[in-house]
Amino acid sequence: MTELRIAAVGDIHLGEDVRGQYRKSLDGIGDRADILMVAGDLTRHGTLEEGRVVADELRDLPIPVVAVLGNHDYHSDMQHEIASELRDAGVIVLNDDSAVIECDGTRLGVVGGKGFGGGFAGKCASEFGERETKNFVRHTRLIAESWQHALKEIDADRRVVLSHYSPIKETLEGEPLEIYPFLGSYLLAEAVDTAGADLILHGHAHRGTEKGMTSGGIRVRNVALPVLGAAYAVYCLADE
Amino acid sequence: MEAPQYVAARVQAALAEDRRTHELGIRVDVRGDQLFLRGQVSGAEQRERLGEVAREAAPDLHVHNEINVVEVGRPGEVEHLD
């Protein structure tokens, strides 16, 4: 039985002053993993200059690279330009859509995007009241619907969801409870549980916990770099 | 005199919003005339910039910059999901 080896990390927050450093830590990744997934917050301020540093760090790796953007990457309203730079460097950038990547004979489907917040079942915002609140929650709901649709449509042997925001609270443990609604939303987990997937990867919560699970039993991993304390983690999915 | 909680909140907002830093995950504590910064960042320069922004936001306090720089030289453990 062969395994699909997924290297994953989020929140690398690169800038010109650390150019070249992260790349060094990716030496030998082709021997350890079949694909690298990057769970957003690639930059600090979301500038195009930082986006170019990230593109250079991820360029020409021996394995495919799939990424989503995070909230930091949106800060300067240059998210489309950053995504273009990454795509020019060969990175597959997901924006609430999907990609199927052939990995050693296995068709790996990856669905994802930035995700968004709102909180967790029973303690969350709803589409009620001020326009600003309704827009906030609606943004998350539309994202969740896109992911559910993409997961149902995708034709693949294994399915992984790549997000920046968290779909569950378990992987936020360590963060202050008061900020949970800004760290993720249960709507993301509900969508993935409905459509099914093998694994969900996210970042965003630097002080969170690596391992968790959705209500439907799908494994969730918080791969924020400060949580991992390493350049990336590797998760192996057994071949079906 | 401004309550220490408001000073800490103002410094935390400065660290998040100042274009030199934009760092969201830094803990700020004020005890008397001492201000403590704790958290993790990806480079030594970012740590120094955070100290600088905090000093500017709270010029009357003595800033202790206890932020760690995360070393990311090695890959982490391999987990088999079965």
Side-chain angles (χ1 to χ4, degrees), chain A residues 9-84:
Chain A
V9 65
D11 306 78
I12 54 178
H13 291 292
L14 300 181
E16 194 60 54
D17 61 307
V18 291
R19 179 183 276 278
Q21 289 182 20
Y22 189 69
R23 176 65 180 212
K24 271 189 229 158
S25 68
L26 297 176
D27 282 352
I29 193 169
D31 298 327
R32 300 188 184 96
D34 302 304
I35 189 166
L36 171 64
M37 299 199 189
V38 190
D41 274 6
L42 315 171
T43 67
R44 293 176 187 148
H45 318 153
T47 64
L48 190 53
E49 292 71 26
E50 290 174 338
R52 288 185 178 133
V53 172
V54 177
D56 289 342
E57 302 283 295
L58 300 179
R59 191 186 304 276
D60 295 330
L61 285 175
I63 55 175
V65 182
V66 186
V68 296
L69 301 186
N71 55 316
H72 280 248
D73 308 318
Y74 277 69
H75 181 71
S76 302
D77 292 321
M78 298 296 285
Q79 60 272 18
H80 301 300
E81 291 80 359
I82 291 171
S84 290

Side-chain angles (χ1 to χ4, degrees), chain A residues 70-236:
Chain A
N71 55 316
H72 280 248
D73 308 318
Y74 277 69
H75 181 71
S76 302
D77 292 321
M78 298 296 285
Q79 60 272 18
H80 301 300
E81 291 80 359
I82 291 171
S84 290
E85 287 287 333
L86 292 169
R87 289 187 178 111
D88 288 347
V91 176
I92 298 165
V93 183
L94 296 180
N95 184 20
D96 301 331
D97 51 6
S98 64
V100 178
I101 300 126
E102 186 87 16
C103 289
D104 203 19
T106 301
R107 286 170 307 146
L108 173 63
V110 191
V111 168
K114 173 180 66 65
F116 201 47
F120 298 91
K123 299 173 183 65
C124 58
S126 56
E127 287 187 58
F128 178 82
E130 297 90 330
R131 176 56 52 199
E132 288 80 1
T133 305
K134 284 188 278 206
N135 286 344
F136 183 92
V137 180
R138 183 168 184 268
H139 182 53
T140 310
R141 179 172 59 78
L142 294 178
I143 288 169
E145 286 173 6
S146 300
W147 293 6
Q148 187 175 324
H149 180 73
L151 280 167
K152 282 182 174 164
E153 292 294 308
I154 203 166
D155 181 19
D157 302 315
R158 308 308 297 257
R159 293 182 296 177
V160 173
V161 173
L162 181 62
S163 173
H164 180 59
Y165 285 77
S166 176
I168 61 166
K169 348 184 243 197
E170 268 180 281
T171 48
L172 302 181
E173 281 173 15
E175 295 280 1
L177 279 171
E178 294 87 342
I179 67 168
Y180 275 23
F182 302 102
L183 298 179
S185 166
Y186 82 99
L187 295 175
L188 305 174
E190 187 180 36
V192 180
D193 273 337
T194 302
D198 297 290
L199 174 67
I200 307 175
L201 301 167
H202 76 87
H204 194 41
H206 292 202
R207 286 177 283 185
T209 301
E210 183 189 0
K211 296 177 184 178
M213 194 185 292
T214 66
S215 304
I218 297 171
R219 253 77 69 93
V220 179
R221 296 293 179 263
N222 175 0
V223 295
L225 190 144
V227 171
L228 297 178
Y232 54 87
V234 178
Y235 303 106
C236 299

